[in-house]
mmCIF file of all heavy atoms in Angstrom:
data_model
loop_
_atom_site.group_PDB
_atom_site.id
_atom_site.type_symbol
_atom_site.label_atom_id
_atom_site.label_comp_id
_atom_site.label_asym_id
_atom_site.label_seq_id
_atom_site.Cartn_x
_atom_site.Cartn_y
_atom_site.Cartn_z
ATOM 1 N N ALA R 1564 -33.324 117.225 34.352
ATOM 2 C CA ALA R 1564 -32.759 117.670 33.095
ATOM 3 C C ALA R 1564 -31.507 116.900 32.762
ATOM 4 O O ALA R 1564 -31.039 116.973 31.690
ATOM 5 C CB ALA R 1564 -32.547 119.168 33.187
ATOM 6 N N ALA R 1565 -30.974 116.199 33.781
ATOM 7 C CA ALA R 1565 -29.676 115.525 33.580
ATOM 8 C C ALA R 1565 -29.860 114.042 33.757
ATOM 9 O O ALA R 1565 -28.988 113.359 34.263
ATOM 10 C CB ALA R 1565 -28.583 116.073 34.471
ATOM 11 N N ALA R 1566 -31.002 113.554 33.377
ATOM 12 C CA ALA R 1566 -31.280 112.106 33.687
ATOM 13 C C ALA R 1566 -30.662 111.159 32.696
ATOM 14 O O ALA R 1566 -30.666 109.980 32.905
ATOM 15 C CB ALA R 1566 -32.815 111.903 33.611
ATOM 16 N N ASN R 1567 -30.021 111.668 31.714
ATOM 17 C CA ASN R 1567 -29.320 110.801 30.749
ATOM 18 C C ASN R 1567 -28.022 111.429 30.240
ATOM 19 O O ASN R 1567 -27.758 112.654 30.446
ATOM 20 C CB ASN R 1567 -30.229 110.411 29.598
ATOM 21 C CG ASN R 1567 -30.704 111.688 28.898
ATOM 22 O OD1 ASN R 1567 -29.955 112.400 28.250
ATOM 23 N ND2 ASN R 1567 -32.028 111.899 28.950
ATOM 24 N N ASP R 1568 -27.234 110.674 29.573
ATOM 25 C CA ASP R 1568 -25.883 111.152 29.142
ATOM 26 C C ASP R 1568 -26.044 112.246 28.085
ATOM 27 O O ASP R 1568 -25.078 112.991 27.826
ATOM 28 C CB ASP R 1568 -25.047 110.005 28.599
ATOM 29 C CG ASP R 1568 -24.648 109.036 29.652
ATOM 30 O OD1 ASP R 1568 -24.733 109.428 30.810
ATOM 31 O OD2 ASP R 1568 -24.229 107.905 29.333
ATOM 32 N N ASP R 1569 -27.175 112.290 27.403
ATOM 33 C CA ASP R 1569 -27.359 113.343 26.321
ATOM 34 C C ASP R 1569 -27.285 114.695 26.893
ATOM 35 O O ASP R 1569 -27.104 115.679 26.125
ATOM 36 C CB ASP R 1569 -28.698 113.065 25.642
ATOM 37 C CG ASP R 1569 -28.684 111.723 24.868
ATOM 38 O OD1 ASP R 1569 -27.605 111.272 24.510
ATOM 39 O OD2 ASP R 1569 -29.773 111.232 24.688
ATOM 40 N N ALA R 1570 -27.491 114.827 28.208
ATOM 41 C CA ALA R 1570 -27.406 116.177 28.814
ATOM 42 C C ALA R 1570 -25.997 116.660 28.996
ATOM 43 O O ALA R 1570 -25.783 117.759 29.446
ATOM 44 C CB ALA R 1570 -28.107 116.125 30.221
ATOM 45 N N GLY R 1571 -25.018 115.881 28.558
ATOM 46 C CA GLY R 1571 -23.625 116.275 28.689
ATOM 47 C C GLY R 1571 -22.980 116.042 30.062
ATOM 48 O O GLY R 1571 -21.977 116.623 30.375
ATOM 49 N N CYS R 1572 -23.634 115.210 30.856
ATOM 50 C CA CYS R 1572 -23.089 114.916 32.222
ATOM 51 C C CYS R 1572 -22.016 113.893 32.154
ATOM 52 O O CYS R 1572 -21.972 112.942 31.380
ATOM 53 C CB CYS R 1572 -24.231 114.390 33.099
ATOM 54 S SG CYS R 1572 -25.515 115.585 33.362
ATOM 55 N N SER R 1573 -21.065 114.089 33.021
ATOM 56 C CA SER R 1573 -19.927 113.120 33.117
ATOM 57 C C SER R 1573 -20.137 112.295 34.383
ATOM 58 O O SER R 1573 -20.009 112.796 35.544
ATOM 59 C CB SER R 1573 -18.618 113.914 33.240
ATOM 60 O OG SER R 1573 -17.502 113.102 33.274
ATOM 61 N N TRP R 1574 -20.410 111.009 34.188
ATOM 62 C CA TRP R 1574 -20.732 110.163 35.294
ATOM 63 C C TRP R 1574 -19.569 109.480 35.839
ATOM 64 O O TRP R 1574 -18.714 108.912 35.075
ATOM 65 C CB TRP R 1574 -21.797 109.157 34.870
ATOM 66 C CG TRP R 1574 -22.997 109.818 34.347
ATOM 67 C CD1 TRP R 1574 -23.253 110.274 33.077
ATOM 68 C CD2 TRP R 1574 -24.169 110.173 35.082
ATOM 69 N NE1 TRP R 1574 -24.493 110.819 32.991
ATOM 70 C CE2 TRP R 1574 -25.092 110.739 34.191
ATOM 71 C CE3 TRP R 1574 -24.602 110.002 36.421
ATOM 72 C CZ2 TRP R 1574 -26.372 111.264 34.569
ATOM 73 C CZ3 TRP R 1574 -25.831 110.447 36.816
ATOM 74 C CH2 TRP R 1574 -26.676 111.083 35.891
ATOM 75 N N VAL R 1575 -19.340 109.440 37.160
ATOM 76 C CA VAL R 1575 -18.120 108.927 37.747
ATOM 77 C C VAL R 1575 -18.206 107.421 37.807
ATOM 78 O O VAL R 1575 -19.196 106.809 38.274
ATOM 79 C CB VAL R 1575 -17.962 109.441 39.160
ATOM 80 C CG1 VAL R 1575 -16.722 108.850 39.855
ATOM 81 C CG2 VAL R 1575 -17.869 110.996 39.137
ATOM 82 N N VAL R 1576 -17.116 106.757 37.308
ATOM 83 C CA VAL R 1576 -17.008 105.283 37.436
ATOM 84 C C VAL R 1576 -15.864 104.935 38.329
ATOM 85 O O VAL R 1576 -14.812 105.508 38.241
ATOM 86 C CB VAL R 1576 -16.739 104.709 35.969
ATOM 87 C CG1 VAL R 1576 -16.577 103.220 36.103
ATOM 88 C CG2 VAL R 1576 -17.813 105.081 35.017
#
Side-chain angles (χ1 to χ4, degrees):
N1567 56 65
D1568 291 344
D1569 294 335
C1572 297
S1573 182
W1574 302 86
V1575 178
V1576 179

